[in-house]
Amino acid sequence: MKVIAAVNGQVSSEVAALYALRYAKLFGFTLTLLHVRNPIDSRYDVEESMASIEQTGGEYGVNVKRKFLNGDPVEAIRDFLTASRADILFCSTRPSKHFFENTFSEKLAGISLPVDLAVIRVADIDMAYRVKTMVLPIRKDRLAVSKFAFFSSMTRAYDAAAEIYSITLVSRRRMAGLDVPVIKVLLSKINLRLAHYVKLSQLVSVHKRLFSEQ
């Protein structure tokens, strides 16, 4: 199996590839550094970035390969993933007011891909080396198995603690009308919801801390 990391020569994509390296090391997968040739990205910067990632991959004991594609970036990547035995695609997105804002990652997230997609928003370049805690917010019961599997995998990859938050949105009007019995029922539902993640965390040996927020 392969882990794919999209690389464009920018620091953010290089950092995203570092997370991909950790993931690949955990499962013993090969990491493929993927770039679609285009007139905007510098070929020199892309290859320099790939060389740096390859060096780190050697330190992690991960087999790293390069792959260059031509054509429309989204279509080229989708066709490559369809033909490849890949597990997940990592790509970066630039910091913006909104998590996705007219970025390449937004385009990838908006289409059907044959693999999972992990979008890394890089706020701190050094964070990829010193992750100690990972946070998973859950709004009610809205959590896919694939998301929890990825969260658990990255937690194991970094040997990090896991904080799982149950988020319940309550309007000010409703909050004002809540009495003690209703609050107890609400908290009971939250505790029951989190109990399932306690069991799953124990199965995957995750160090967990569970919280509820309202």
Side-chain angles (χ1 to χ4, degrees):
M1 294 287 285
K2 303 185 192 72
V3 176
I4 313 295
V7 179
N8 61 8
Q10 297 183 11
V11 175
S12 57
S13 71
E14 192 170 324
V15 172
L18 294 178
Y19 286 100
L21 271 175
R22 290 275 190 161
Y23 184 92
K25 179 182 178 181
L26 177 67
F27 293 104
F29 292 161
T30 295
L31 174 63
T32 297
L33 305 178
L34 181 64
H35 178 74
V36 182
R37 297 183 179 92
N38 64 83
I40 298 177
D41 296 332
S42 164
R43 175 66 179 263
Y44 175 81
D45 290 342
V46 170
E47 294 196 350
E48 283 288 297
S49 184
M50 286 183 171
S52 176
I53 298 166
E54 287 171 341
Q55 182 178 353
T56 305
E59 297 171 359
Y60 286 3
V62 175
N63 183 22
V64 181
K65 297 182 178 180
R66 302 184 186 188
K67 181 65 178 181
F68 291 89
L69 302 175
N70 297 304
D72 176 77
V74 173
E75 293 183 2
I77 287 180
R78 181 169 53 187
D79 291 344
F80 173 75
L81 294 175
T82 300
S84 301
R85 194 162 171 264
D87 177 77
I88 188 171
L89 168 64
F90 283 76
C91 71
S92 63
T93 186
R94 63 175 181 267
S96 61
K97 183 177 180 180
H98 303 288
F99 189 75
F100 298 123
E101 186 176 5
N102 298 322
T103 62
F104 180 60
S105 59
E106 180 186 31
K107 294 178 181 178
L108 290 175
I111 65 173
S112 177
L113 293 174
V115 302
D116 291 331
L117 173 64
V119 179
I120 308 299
R121 183 169 185 254
V122 181
D124 185 339
I125 295 176
D126 295 330
M127 186 58 68
Y129 293 100
R130 52 183 176 83
V131 175
K132 295 182 179 179
T133 303
M134 294 201 171
V135 176
L136 177 64
I138 302 167
R139 184 175 175 180
K140 294 187 177 180
D141 293 322
R142 299 177 184 176
L143 177 66
V145 173
S146 58
K147 292 181 180 179
F148 187 79
F150 177 71
F151 172 74
S152 301
S153 298
M154 294 306 296
T155 302
R156 288 286 299 274
Y158 278 91
D159 193 25
E163 294 185 0
I164 302 178
Y165 290 80
S166 176
I167 310 297
T168 302
L169 299 180
V170 180
S171 67
R172 291 183 179 179
R173 186 174 182 179
R174 185 187 175 194
M175 181 67 74
L178 291 179
D179 54 20
V180 174
V182 174
I183 292 176
K184 287 184 177 180
V185 172
L186 180 61
L187 291 178
S188 177
K189 290 181 178 179
I190 292 174
N191 289 333
L192 179 62
R193 189 182 306 144
L194 290 175
H196 293 91
Y197 298 107
V198 172
K199 294 176 183 177
L200 287 173
S201 299
Q202 289 173 340
L203 289 174
V204 296
S205 300
V206 169
H207 302 291
K208 70 277 179 193
R209 290 195 291 272
L210 305 180
F211 299 87
S212 64
E213 288 194 350
Q214 301 173 21

